[in-house]
């Protein structure tokens, strides 16, 4: 095939990267639309990112997640330099650090979900576990969720605190899938959009349940937790 003047031949690697980026764009827009429609996000709060090869895509700063435009998503190369789209969210460093700390993390969601932010205001169960293990699906789908003390949005120190928590839990063989930022909401991650969404939804609904019951339910007993570990390999 003869190349047209002014064009550059593309390698198979370039095409693979382009395909991965295009797929990630679609997933971010789909997830943002779904979260907005179901009330998990509001206004321009929150952000979503996806890893595509060595690149990262993230929602732009101050973007409304329910009205994202694929071409305006910020594309960042392996060095962290933005190469396309609108200005990246100020939480870009946190998202990239999570993906570096947890090799399974390829999709990251941060929201200001109402019940989880309310939980940090009313008081979490503990700094190591913001909610008690009150349902089996919370144990299986979410697991341990530590509280990250308040820092201003975009503060680079947050990434250090989050990655330290990821490393500590990995060492204990209880890998985490989420943290809760005090007064700002959850950050969840997974190998794909569906997994990250499942974590977020179960986490927010468990916070809602606990608050609706005036934080009275007792945790599942130890024998029930042991059964979930042995039967479903729950990381608790």
């Amino acid at each position: 095939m003869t190349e047209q003047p002014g064009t550059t031949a593309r390698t198979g690697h370039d095409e693979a990267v382009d395909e991965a980026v295009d797929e990630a764009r679609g997933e971010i827009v789909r997830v943002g639309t779904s979260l907005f429609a179901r009330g998990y996000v509001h206004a321009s709060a929150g952000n979503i990112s996806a890893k595509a090869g060595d690149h990262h895509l993230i929602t732009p700063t101050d973007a409304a997640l329910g009205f994202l435009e694929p071409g305006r998503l910020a594309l960042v190369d392996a060095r962290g330099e933005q190469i396309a789209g609108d200005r990246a969210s100020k939480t870009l460093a946190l998202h990239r650090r999570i993906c570096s700390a947890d090799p399974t993390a390829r999709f990251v969601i941060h929201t200001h979900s109402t019940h989880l932010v309310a939980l940090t205001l009313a008081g979490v169960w503990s700094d190591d576990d913001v909610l008690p293990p009150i349902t089996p699906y919370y144990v299986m789908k979410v697991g341990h969720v530590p509280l990250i003390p308040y820092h201003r949005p975009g503060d680079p120190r947050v990434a250090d605190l989050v990655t330290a928590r990821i490393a500590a839990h990995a060492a204990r063989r209880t890998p985490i899938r989420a943290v809760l930022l005090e007064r700002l909401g959850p950050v969840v991650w997974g190998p794909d959009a569906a997994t990250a969404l499942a974590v977020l939804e179960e986490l927010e609904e468990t916070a809602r349940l606990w608050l609706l019951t005036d934080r009275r339910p007792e945790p599942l007993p130890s024998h029930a937790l042991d059964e979930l570990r042995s039967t479903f390999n729950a990381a608790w």
Side-chain angles (χ1 to χ4, degrees):
M1 178 177 176
T2 304
E3 293 178 33
Q4 296 299 314
T7 63
T8 302
R10 300 192 63 77
T11 67
H13 174 73
D14 290 336
E15 292 174 356
V17 169
D18 289 346
E19 184 176 345
V21 168
D22 286 344
E23 183 178 348
R25 288 187 198 278
E27 284 289 84
I28 289 173
V29 172
R30 181 182 67 82
V31 168
T33 301
S34 174
L35 290 172
F36 180 80
R38 293 181 294 140
Y40 283 91
V41 296
H42 61 277
S44 60
N47 38 73
I48 306 169
S49 75
K51 193 172 182 184
D54 292 333
H55 293 62
H56 276 83
L57 273 165
I58 192 166
T59 49
T61 187
D62 294 327
L65 298 190
F67 304 94
L68 296 171
E69 299 177 34
R72 300 184 68 173
L73 298 179
L75 179 62
V76 179
D77 66 16
R79 296 170 296 179
E81 296 181 3
Q82 185 165 341
I83 54 178
D86 292 350
R87 185 161 60 94
S89 166
K90 53 186 167 291
T91 59
L92 171 63
L94 172 60
H95 288 233
R96 294 183 73 240
R97 291 279 300 278
I98 287 171
C99 291
S100 295
D102 181 352
T104 70
R106 301 191 68 82
F107 204 92
V108 183
I109 306 171
H110 168 52
T111 72
H112 296 191
S113 301
T114 302
H115 295 92
L116 286 163
V117 175
L119 177 65
T120 71
L121 300 174
V124 298
W125 190 50
S126 78
D127 288 350
D128 292 326
D129 283 297
V130 298
L131 286 163
I134 57 175
T135 69
Y137 274 86
Y138 181 75
V139 174
M140 292 187 294
K141 299 295 185 182
V142 181
H144 298 286
V145 180
L147 179 70
I148 304 300
Y150 176 77
H151 291 74
R152 66 161 174 80
D155 190 322
R157 291 174 292 180
V158 172
D160 293 333
L161 295 173
V162 173
T163 54
R165 288 287 196 165
I166 292 172
H169 276 275
R172 295 200 291 267
R173 297 185 180 179
T174 56
I176 59 174
R177 308 176 181 99
V179 297
L180 182 57
L181 308 183
E182 185 177 0
R183 297 176 182 260
L184 288 171
V187 182
V188 307
W189 57 89
D192 50 48
T195 304
L197 268 176
V199 174
L200 174 65
E201 291 164 3
E202 196 69 37
L203 178 56
E204 169 69 2
E205 291 306 309
T206 305
R208 181 171 177 263
L209 282 172
W210 204 48
L211 291 171
L212 283 173
T213 53
D214 294 326
R215 299 186 290 172
R216 290 178 303 194
E218 292 294 323
L220 288 167
S222 58
H223 69 83
L225 294 174
D226 288 340
E227 186 179 28
L228 292 172
R229 292 188 193 99
S230 62
T231 306
F232 300 106
N233 198 31
W236 191 276

